[in-house]
Amino acid sequence: MIRIGIAGYGNLGRGVESALSHTEDMELVGVFTRRSPDSVKTKTGVPVYSMEQAKNMTDKIDVMILCLSLIHISEPT
């Protein structure tokens, strides 16, 4: 079973969540958002985490699918 995380939960993230619900060999572990996790409700009921928590879950997620808008990704300083 491949453990999946979704980074970003806009239209693209919701579409990926829906697609994953039709797979037998992938498990959605969680959704990661820049918004307040309490304000995000997923269609499948998977947990929602802050984006900062992703680095603490590397042992629980095999693949992170990035569903972020490029205009919101900041340049390194």
Side-chain angles (χ1 to χ4, degrees), residues 9-77:
Y9 197 67
N11 290 333
L12 185 55
R14 287 190 295 275
V16 170
E17 178 189 27
S18 179
L20 289 172
S21 70
H22 299 288
T23 64
E24 296 179 9
D25 60 346
M26 296 183 194
E27 170 191 12
L28 181 56
V29 173
V31 168
F32 297 84
T33 182
R34 292 178 295 223
R35 295 181 271 167
S36 169
D38 295 334
S39 71
V40 178
K41 303 295 179 227
T42 62
K43 294 179 180 182
T44 59
V46 297
V48 179
Y49 303 97
S50 68
M51 199 65 75
E52 292 78 29
Q53 290 176 285
K55 65 184 174 204
N56 301 325
M57 297 186 66
T58 57
D59 61 332
K60 295 176 180 64
I61 296 173
D62 300 314
V63 175
M64 182 72 80
I65 300 176
L66 303 180
C67 299
L68 304 170
S69 170
L70 292 178
I71 61 171
H72 294 294
I73 297 175
S74 61
E75 293 287 325
T77 56

